[in-house]
Amino acid sequence: EARNILRCHVFVGVVSDQYALIQHQTKLLLIEVAPVLAELLYRQILMRIADMDFLRLDPPAPLLPLVNLGLGNEDNQNTAVEVEVNPAVCACIRLLIAKASMLDEYFSIKISGSTVNDAVLEQIPLIFDGMSPDLARMPELLLGLVDIDWTCEQPCLLSIARLLADCY
């Protein structure tokens, strides 16, 4: 029923940052935009796996400060000495480096570098032209990738697609 409503609606207008009005047949409906948009983005990602456009980051973003920020270590200055002391940061970055090829091939998430200290995020996927992800959520995206179950292909790909949709 929801699919039919969204397929056959007429946009009425924006109510606020969170809500919009649509009309379906004779009913006026108030919809929460974020969940509907997240589902649309998720489905677009699934349709474009292994064929996604991308946004190249210039300069590339070092993973060290991003992962530190994601783990709540905002006060660190992210020097090489501090990173060696924090095994959680090292483990996260090593996993991302290990999965870099697959992330690039399927989702256009390009991570380069072979060590914790030189790993960088070079590009991120673009789902729709002119719509870029919230770059402030990159630490959340990277940590979300670390939490993915990488042992089973289909659930892994679905989880990454959902994570990307939520970051947009």
Side-chain angles (χ1 to χ4, degrees), residues 95-112 150:
L95 178 65
L96 292 170
I97 292 169
K99 302 302 181 186
S101 175
M102 183 269 223
L103 290 169
D104 186 19
E105 181 180 346
Y106 290 115
F107 297 101
S108 296
I109 299 172
K110 185 171 179 100
I111 295 171
S112 64
W150 296 91

Side-chain angles (χ1 to χ4, degrees), residues 10-58:
V10 175
F11 178 73
V12 176
V14 175
V15 175
S16 70
D17 289 344
Q18 283 186 293
Y19 298 100
L21 281 174
I22 62 172
Q23 181 178 347
H24 179 258
Q25 297 173 350
T26 59
K27 296 178 184 171
L28 190 60
L29 304 166
L30 180 68
I31 62 165
E32 191 173 356
V33 175
V36 173
L37 182 58
E39 191 62 28
L40 171 67
L41 292 167
Y42 174 69
R43 292 182 183 273
Q44 285 296 312
I45 292 166
L46 291 179
M47 289 187 335
R48 295 180 182 176
I49 284 182
D51 188 30
M52 298 186 76
D53 291 333
F54 57 86
L55 171 66
R56 190 165 307 280
L57 302 178
D58 188 23

Side-chain angles (χ1 to χ4, degrees), residues 120-137:
V120 294
L121 179 62
E122 288 189 15
Q123 70 186 33
I124 54 177
L126 284 178
I127 301 169
F128 289 117
D129 286 339
M131 181 183 188
S132 60
D134 181 359
L135 296 177
R137 297 188 74 184

